[in-house]
Amino acid sequence: MSAPVIITAALVGAEVTRADQPNLPITAEEIGQAAAEACEAGASIIHLHVRHPNGQPTQDVERFRQAMEAIRARCDAIIQVSTGGAVGMSAEERIQPLALRPEMATLTVGSVNFGDEVFMNPWPLIVQFAEAMRQYGVKPELEVFDAGMIANAFRLRQLGLIADPLHFDLVLGVRGGLPASARNLVYLVDSLPPEASWSVAGIGRAQTPMAMMALAMGGHVRVGFEDNIYYRRGELAQSNAQLVARVARLAAELGRPVATPQQAREMLGLRSGGDDGPRP
Ligand code: KMH
Ligand code: ZN
């Protein structure tokens, strides 16, 4: 058997709407239910964004607390909060959920055009977020949307702001970022520290081919409505779990078992096992 694959379910995101995907989870209860189904299908990490009841994206700490409680009531998944939030949010808004001391959080290591907008991550913001994660004992997942961002991760490591083993998420196919291709994925993986772990998030129709490449290369996989709302061309996915289940099936064909949350914690070197709960 090859190494287990860690599947991350990006359930909600900040950009997708109910008009785009009628089954998008929005309330804490809906997010908790979607997380439980995704875990049952093989996910061990829940990448978490939250919304106001009207569907607007928010980084409000109470909304995160409610969603985290709803997830923890139903499954043992690693909760990875977003510090990316939505394009245009301030650093102060985006950093809020770290105060809940989740096991993991995203740390985007550079700015990138994002559709018609710009996802702003200037160096001082990156340092501020990395320092806060260190202070709260939160493991960063380093989000890479373009090749140059990896150099910033090395710089953070050199400054002692992040520690080995590093974990990256390679996001391929955002309009304005690095396109999703086999050549680009291989280039990014070759640019990482050899001991680092990595997952791939292919955007839109690139989700499944990028997942298959990651599985074959020994990497990990992120899927979910945040990145792709379709099951196949022209057919909306029924649920986040349906997308996770496909990756689990493909992994099985390649002889890679899906990691349990506990196995994923060990593989990622997480601090305790996620039983210390959110704090005020
Ligand atoms: N919503 C994107 C602009 C993250 O979660 O850290 C940024 C994003 C990345 O979703
Ligand atoms: Zn996100």
Side-chain angles (χ1 to χ4, degrees):
M1 258 312 182
S2 307
V5 55
I6 299 170
I7 304 177
T8 298
L11 304 174
V12 185
E15 288 80 25
V16 178
T17 68
R18 273 268 168 87
D20 303 323
Q21 173 41 273
N23 298 321
L24 181 74
I26 287 178
T27 67
E29 291 305 297
E30 288 166 354
I31 292 171
Q33 191 56 36
E37 291 167 12
C39 288
E40 184 66 29
S44 48
I45 300 179
I46 300 298
H47 170 68
L48 185 61
H49 287 255
V50 293
R51 304 290 183 99
H52 287 300
N54 67 3
Q56 285 296 313
T58 174
Q59 291 290 99
D60 178 71
V61 81
E62 281 311 313
R63 296 255 169 241
F64 269 99
R65 190 197 307 276
Q66 289 162 11
M68 289 166 74
E69 284 174 359
I71 295 169
R72 285 183 173 143
R74 292 169 172 86
C75 66
D76 180 39
I78 297 162
I79 298 177
Q80 176 196 85
V81 303
S82 170
T83 66
V87 166
M89 285 181 175
S90 68
E92 290 66 36
E93 282 176 282
R94 286 169 51 184
I95 205 170
Q96 293 176 90
L98 293 184
L100 297 170
R101 297 175 185 262
E103 286 185 87
M104 292 183 83
T106 52
L107 175 59
T108 300
V109 280
S111 298
V112 61
N113 278 10
F114 198 90
D116 293 343
E117 301 176 288
V118 182
F119 179 31
M120 293 287 287
N121 295 285
W123 178 249
L125 177 149
I126 297 170
V127 169
Q128 180 193 358
F129 285 18
E131 282 175 340
M133 290 183 204
R134 197 175 52 162
Q135 179 195 337
Y136 287 125
V138 177
K139 168 115 181 169
E141 176 178 272
L142 301 160
E143 304 296 314
V144 168
F145 291 75
D146 214 336
M149 293 189 187
I150 294 172
N152 279 338
F154 276 99
R155 214 170 142 205
L156 286 175
R157 184 169 73 158
Q158 201 171 19
L159 293 169
L161 292 169
I162 55 175
D164 290 327
L166 302 186
H167 178 67
F168 290 83
D169 182 42
L170 309 172
V171 186
L172 292 174
V174 166
R175 184 159 61 82
L178 200 61
S181 72
R183 185 178 67 157
N184 287 341
L185 177 58
V186 169
Y187 176 72
L188 292 183
V189 172
D190 279 352
S191 306
L192 302 179
E195 69 284 358
S197 55
W198 54 274
S199 63
V200 176
I203 302 301
R205 69 184 63 164
Q207 185 162 84
T208 305
M210 284 290 124
M212 292 172 85
M213 285 178 221
L215 288 170
M217 291 167 69
H220 304 289
V221 175
R222 170 172 135 168
V223 291
F225 288 168
E226 173 164 349
D227 303 331
N228 165 46
I229 57 176
Y230 292 99
Y231 189 71
R232 58 173 71 89
R233 192 177 172 87
E235 180 186 325
L236 287 171
Q238 289 161 15
S239 65
N240 281 287
Q242 188 189 22
L243 298 171
V244 172
R246 171 161 57 191
V247 176
R249 281 198 305 276
L250 293 168
E253 288 294 328
L254 289 169
R256 295 192 64 188
V258 294
T260 64
Q262 205 49 44
Q263 284 174 321
R265 286 184 175 96
E266 285 159 23
M267 292 162 73
L268 295 169
L270 295 187
R271 57 171 194 253
S272 66
D275 50 1
D276 45 356
R279 291 176 203 159

